[in-house]
Structure formats: structure tokens, C-alpha cells
Short mmCIF file of all heavy atoms in Angstrom, two decimals:
data_model
loop_
_atom_site.label_atom_id
_atom_site.label_comp_id
_atom_site.label_asym_id
_atom_site.label_seq_id
_atom_site.Cartn_x
_atom_site.Cartn_y
_atom_site.Cartn_z
N ILE L 85 -2.96 -6.69 -2.12
CA ILE L 85 -3.49 -6.91 -3.49
C ILE L 85 -4.27 -5.71 -3.99
O ILE L 85 -4.78 -5.85 -5.10
CB ILE L 85 -4.41 -8.19 -3.39
CG1 ILE L 85 -5.65 -7.92 -2.54
CG2 ILE L 85 -3.75 -9.37 -2.92
CD1 ILE L 85 -6.68 -8.92 -2.68
N LEU L 86 -4.24 -4.65 -3.26
CA LEU L 86 -5.03 -3.47 -3.75
C LEU L 86 -4.45 -2.98 -5.01
O LEU L 86 -3.25 -2.97 -5.14
CB LEU L 86 -5.04 -2.41 -2.66
CG LEU L 86 -5.64 -2.82 -1.35
CD1 LEU L 86 -5.58 -1.68 -0.30
CD2 LEU L 86 -7.15 -3.12 -1.53
N PRO L 87 -5.32 -2.68 -6.03
CA PRO L 87 -4.82 -2.33 -7.38
C PRO L 87 -4.19 -0.86 -7.41
O PRO L 87 -4.84 0.09 -8.01
CB PRO L 87 -6.13 -2.40 -8.25
CG PRO L 87 -7.23 -2.00 -7.21
CD PRO L 87 -6.72 -2.66 -5.91
N MET L 88 -2.98 -0.80 -6.88
CA MET L 88 -2.22 0.41 -6.93
C MET L 88 -0.87 0.10 -7.44
O MET L 88 -0.28 -0.86 -7.07
CB MET L 88 -2.18 1.15 -5.55
CG MET L 88 -3.44 1.68 -5.07
SD MET L 88 -3.31 2.89 -3.73
CE MET L 88 -5.00 3.39 -3.50
N SER L 89 -0.31 1.00 -8.22
CA SER L 89 1.08 0.78 -8.80
C SER L 89 1.69 2.19 -9.04
O SER L 89 1.07 3.06 -9.43
CB SER L 89 1.06 0.05 -10.08
OG SER L 89 2.31 -0.06 -10.69
N ALA L 90 2.89 2.22 -8.67
CA ALA L 90 3.75 3.44 -8.93
C ALA L 90 4.36 3.42 -10.23
O ALA L 90 5.17 4.31 -10.62
CB ALA L 90 4.69 3.72 -7.81
N ASN L 91 4.17 2.36 -11.07
CA ASN L 91 4.79 2.15 -12.33
C ASN L 91 6.33 2.08 -12.28
O ASN L 91 7.05 2.49 -13.13
CB ASN L 91 4.34 3.31 -13.34
CG ASN L 91 2.83 3.23 -13.66
OD1 ASN L 91 2.32 2.18 -13.83
ND2 ASN L 91 2.24 4.46 -13.66
N ARG L 92 6.76 1.62 -11.12
CA ARG L 92 8.14 1.37 -10.86
C ARG L 92 8.46 0.44 -9.76
O ARG L 92 7.48 0.16 -9.05
CB ARG L 92 8.90 2.72 -10.57
CG ARG L 92 8.41 3.36 -9.22
CD ARG L 92 9.33 4.49 -8.83
NE ARG L 92 8.87 5.23 -7.72
CZ ARG L 92 9.00 4.79 -6.49
NH1 ARG L 92 9.48 3.63 -6.17
NH2 ARG L 92 8.49 5.52 -5.52
N ALA L 93 9.57 -0.13 -9.71
CA ALA L 93 9.91 -1.12 -8.54
C ALA L 93 9.97 -0.25 -7.21
O ALA L 93 10.35 0.91 -7.22
CB ALA L 93 11.19 -1.75 -8.80
N PRO L 94 9.60 -0.91 -6.14
CA PRO L 94 9.64 -0.17 -4.88
C PRO L 94 11.11 0.10 -4.42
O PRO L 94 12.00 -0.61 -4.88
CB PRO L 94 9.03 -1.17 -3.86
CG PRO L 94 9.09 -2.50 -4.46
CD PRO L 94 9.01 -2.19 -6.02
N THR L 95 11.28 1.15 -3.66
CA THR L 95 12.66 1.48 -3.21
C THR L 95 12.67 1.73 -1.71
O THR L 95 11.58 1.70 -1.04
CB THR L 95 13.15 2.83 -3.86
OG1 THR L 95 12.33 3.88 -3.44
CG2 THR L 95 13.01 2.71 -5.41
N GLY L 96 13.84 1.97 -1.27
CA GLY L 96 13.89 2.27 0.25
C GLY L 96 13.03 3.42 0.71
O GLY L 96 12.59 3.43 1.83
N ALA L 97 12.87 4.44 -0.08
CA ALA L 97 12.09 5.59 0.28
C ALA L 97 10.66 5.20 0.52
O ALA L 97 9.96 5.85 1.35
CB ALA L 97 12.17 6.63 -0.71
N ASP L 98 10.10 4.24 -0.10
CA ASP L 98 8.76 3.81 -0.04
C ASP L 98 8.34 3.21 1.29
O ASP L 98 7.25 3.04 1.69
CB ASP L 98 8.34 2.88 -1.18
CG ASP L 98 8.60 3.49 -2.51
OD1 ASP L 98 8.34 4.71 -2.69
OD2 ASP L 98 9.03 2.79 -3.35
N ARG L 99 9.44 2.71 2.04
CA ARG L 99 9.18 1.95 3.31
C ARG L 99 8.58 2.91 4.37
O ARG L 99 8.02 2.48 5.32
CB ARG L 99 10.37 1.30 3.80
CG ARG L 99 11.47 2.25 4.15
CD ARG L 99 12.79 1.51 4.48
NE ARG L 99 13.83 2.41 4.86
CZ ARG L 99 14.98 2.04 5.43
NH1 ARG L 99 15.23 0.74 5.57
NH2 ARG L 99 15.88 2.92 5.76
N ALA L 100 8.78 4.24 4.17
CA ALA L 100 8.17 5.17 5.08
C ALA L 100 6.67 5.00 5.18
O ALA L 100 6.04 5.40 6.25
CB ALA L 100 8.54 6.60 4.70
N TRP L 101 6.04 4.42 4.19
CA TRP L 101 4.55 4.34 4.08
C TRP L 101 4.09 3.02 4.66
O TRP L 101 2.88 2.80 4.71
CB TRP L 101 4.12 4.46 2.64
CG TRP L 101 4.41 5.74 1.97
CD1 TRP L 101 5.48 5.94 1.14
CD2 TRP L 101 3.80 7.06 2.23
NE1 TRP L 101 5.54 7.29 0.79
CE2 TRP L 101 4.54 7.87 1.34
CE3 TRP L 101 2.70 7.45 2.94
CZ2 TRP L 101 4.11 9.26 1.32
CZ3 TRP L 101 2.30 8.69 2.83
CH2 TRP L 101 3.03 9.65 2.05
N PHE L 102 4.96 2.19 5.18
CA PHE L 102 4.49 0.88 5.78
C PHE L 102 3.42 1.04 6.81
O PHE L 102 2.38 0.30 6.74
CB PHE L 102 5.72 0.12 6.33
CG PHE L 102 6.46 -0.59 5.31
CD1 PHE L 102 6.37 -0.31 3.88
CD2 PHE L 102 7.40 -1.69 5.67
CE1 PHE L 102 7.15 -1.05 2.96
CE2 PHE L 102 8.18 -2.27 4.74
CZ PHE L 102 8.03 -1.97 3.38
N PRO L 103 3.57 1.91 7.83
CA PRO L 103 2.52 2.01 8.71
C PRO L 103 1.11 2.55 8.13
O PRO L 103 0.02 2.11 8.60
CB PRO L 103 3.04 3.06 9.78
CG PRO L 103 4.55 2.87 9.65
CD PRO L 103 4.72 2.68 8.22
N LEU L 104 1.24 3.36 7.11
CA LEU L 104 0.04 3.85 6.53
C LEU L 104 -0.68 2.63 5.80
O LEU L 104 -1.92 2.58 5.81
CB LEU L 104 0.31 4.89 5.42
CG LEU L 104 -0.87 5.52 4.74
CD1 LEU L 104 -1.86 6.12 5.72
CD2 LEU L 104 -0.44 6.50 3.64
N VAL L 105 0.15 1.77 5.14
CA VAL L 105 -0.41 0.58 4.55
C VAL L 105 -1.21 -0.22 5.61
O VAL L 105 -2.30 -0.75 5.37
CB VAL L 105 0.66 -0.27 3.84
CG1 VAL L 105 0.00 -1.57 3.29
CG2 VAL L 105 1.29 0.49 2.63
N GLY L 106 -0.60 -0.35 6.80
CA GLY L 106 -1.16 -1.04 7.84
C GLY L 106 -2.64 -0.41 8.29
O GLY L 106 -3.53 -1.07 8.55
N LEU L 107 -2.67 0.93 8.19
CA LEU L 107 -3.91 1.61 8.54
C LEU L 107 -5.01 1.31 7.50
O LEU L 107 -6.12 1.15 7.77
CB LEU L 107 -3.66 3.10 8.63
CG LEU L 107 -3.15 3.73 9.93
CD1 LEU L 107 -2.87 5.19 9.84
CD2 LEU L 107 -4.07 3.24 11.13
N VAL L 108 -4.55 1.27 6.22
CA VAL L 108 -5.52 0.90 5.10
C VAL L 108 -6.12 -0.49 5.41
O VAL L 108 -7.23 -0.71 5.26
CB VAL L 108 -4.88 0.98 3.78
CG1 VAL L 108 -5.70 0.47 2.72
CG2 VAL L 108 -4.41 2.46 3.51
N LEU L 109 -5.20 -1.48 5.76
CA LEU L 109 -5.66 -2.84 5.98
C LEU L 109 -6.59 -2.81 7.28
O LEU L 109 -7.59 -3.48 7.24
CB LEU L 109 -4.46 -3.66 6.25
CG LEU L 109 -3.61 -3.95 5.04
CD1 LEU L 109 -2.29 -4.69 5.49
CD2 LEU L 109 -4.33 -4.71 4.01
N GLY L 110 -6.18 -2.05 8.25
CA GLY L 110 -7.06 -1.96 9.45
C GLY L 110 -8.43 -1.42 9.14
O GLY L 110 -9.43 -1.91 9.68
N ALA L 111 -8.45 -0.40 8.24
CA ALA L 111 -9.77 0.12 7.96
C ALA L 111 -10.67 -0.90 7.18
O ALA L 111 -11.91 -0.88 7.36
CB ALA L 111 -9.55 1.35 7.03
N CYS L 112 -10.05 -1.67 6.36
CA CYS L 112 -10.79 -2.79 5.69
C CYS L 112 -11.33 -3.74 6.73
O CYS L 112 -12.49 -4.22 6.57
CB CYS L 112 -9.84 -3.46 4.63
SG CYS L 112 -9.34 -2.52 3.29
N LEU L 113 -10.54 -4.07 7.71
CA LEU L 113 -10.99 -5.04 8.75
C LEU L 113 -12.15 -4.39 9.58
O LEU L 113 -13.04 -5.11 9.96
CB LEU L 113 -9.81 -5.40 9.70
CG LEU L 113 -8.65 -6.12 9.01
CD1 LEU L 113 -7.61 -6.52 10.10
CD2 LEU L 113 -9.14 -7.39 8.35
N VAL L 114 -12.01 -3.21 9.92
CA VAL L 114 -13.09 -2.45 10.63
C VAL L 114 -14.36 -2.52 9.86
O VAL L 114 -15.46 -2.82 10.43
CB VAL L 114 -12.73 -0.97 10.94
CG1 VAL L 114 -13.94 -0.17 11.45
CG2 VAL L 114 -11.55 -0.99 12.00
N GLY L 115 -14.35 -2.19 8.60
CA GLY L 115 -15.57 -2.28 7.86
C GLY L 115 -16.17 -3.72 7.80
O GLY L 115 -17.38 -3.91 7.90
N LEU L 116 -15.31 -4.76 7.51
CA LEU L 116 -15.80 -6.07 7.53
C LEU L 116 -16.34 -6.53 8.85
O LEU L 116 -17.42 -7.18 8.97
CB LEU L 116 -14.61 -7.01 7.12
CG LEU L 116 -14.96 -8.51 7.14
CD1 LEU L 116 -16.02 -8.89 6.24
CD2 LEU L 116 -13.66 -9.30 6.90
N ASP L 117 -15.70 -6.11 9.99
CA ASP L 117 -16.12 -6.42 11.25
C ASP L 117 -17.57 -5.88 11.64
O ASP L 117 -18.36 -6.58 12.10
CB ASP L 117 -15.12 -5.98 12.33
CG ASP L 117 -15.48 -6.28 13.73
OD1 ASP L 117 -15.42 -7.54 14.12
OD2 ASP L 117 -15.79 -5.38 14.48
N ALA L 118 -17.70 -4.67 11.22
CA ALA L 118 -19.00 -3.95 11.49
C ALA L 118 -20.06 -4.71 10.72
O ALA L 118 -21.26 -4.83 11.31
CB ALA L 118 -18.88 -2.49 11.04
N ALA L 119 -19.86 -5.14 9.51
CA ALA L 119 -20.89 -5.76 8.70
C ALA L 119 -21.16 -7.21 9.29
O ALA L 119 -22.24 -7.60 9.37
CB ALA L 119 -20.52 -5.77 7.23
N ALA L 120 -20.06 -7.94 9.55
CA ALA L 120 -20.14 -9.29 10.00
C ALA L 120 -20.79 -9.52 11.31
O ALA L 120 -21.59 -10.45 11.50
CB ALA L 120 -18.80 -9.97 9.89
N ARG L 121 -20.57 -8.50 12.17
CA ARG L 121 -21.12 -8.66 13.53
C ARG L 121 -22.64 -8.49 13.57
O ARG L 121 -23.26 -8.80 14.66
CB ARG L 121 -20.47 -7.69 14.47
CG ARG L 121 -18.97 -8.00 14.79
CD ARG L 121 -18.39 -6.98 15.63
NE ARG L 121 -18.86 -7.10 17.10
CZ ARG L 121 -18.71 -6.21 17.95
NH1 ARG L 121 -18.14 -5.01 17.62
NH2 ARG L 121 -19.11 -6.37 19.14
N GLU L 122 -23.23 -7.99 12.51
CA GLU L 122 -24.58 -7.82 12.46
C GLU L 122 -25.43 -9.15 12.51
O GLU L 122 -26.55 -9.13 13.03
CB GLU L 122 -25.05 -7.03 11.15
CG GLU L 122 -24.61 -5.54 11.22
CD GLU L 122 -25.34 -4.75 12.25
OE1 GLU L 122 -26.56 -5.02 12.48
OE2 GLU L 122 -24.65 -3.85 12.86
N GLY L 123 -24.92 -10.14 12.02
CA GLY L 123 -25.58 -11.41 11.95
C GLY L 123 -24.76 -12.68 12.27
O GLY L 123 -25.31 -13.76 12.19
N LEU L 124 -23.53 -12.50 12.60
CA LEU L 124 -22.69 -13.74 12.82
C LEU L 124 -22.05 -13.67 14.22
O LEU L 124 -21.79 -12.67 14.69
CB LEU L 124 -21.50 -13.70 11.76
CG LEU L 124 -21.93 -13.93 10.34
CD1 LEU L 124 -20.79 -13.80 9.47
CD2 LEU L 124 -22.60 -15.24 10.03
N PRO L 125 -21.84 -14.87 14.77
CA PRO L 125 -21.21 -14.95 16.08
C PRO L 125 -19.76 -14.60 16.05
O PRO L 125 -19.12 -14.62 15.01
CB PRO L 125 -21.38 -16.41 16.52
CG PRO L 125 -21.52 -17.16 15.20
CD PRO L 125 -22.25 -16.27 14.25
N ALA L 126 -19.23 -14.22 17.20
CA ALA L 126 -17.89 -13.66 17.28
C ALA L 126 -16.76 -14.74 16.76
O ALA L 126 -15.87 -14.38 16.08
CB ALA L 126 -17.45 -13.42 18.75
#
């Protein structure tokens, strides 16, 4: 849902970036995890 657009429909060439998208999602989870663990149980 991140507000990014290439102003065109996705193509087969764009799938090369799938793992990078996963890293972006992982970074979001790391930040949330670090903040939430300060005061919430596991």
C-alpha cells in the first residue's frame, strides 16, 4: 500500500524487484517490533 507508482502497469521486468519489496516490508516490521517491545508483551 506504499504510495509509489511508476505511472504504468507492472511488467515482467518489474518482478526482479520482488525481494527488494520484501526487504522494505521487513524494515517496516523491524521498526514496529523495536517500538512495540518497549512496553508490550511478546
Side-chain angles (χ1 to χ4, degrees):
I85 64 168
L86 298 178
M88 288 195 179
S89 174
N91 296 318
R92 61 167 174 78
T95 68
D98 301 321
R99 64 186 183 172
W101 300 101
F102 278 16
L104 180 64
V105 175
L107 279 179
V108 171
L109 292 170
C112 294
L113 295 182
V114 168
L116 174 60
D117 182 66
R121 290 179 75 197
E122 289 295 321
L124 295 173

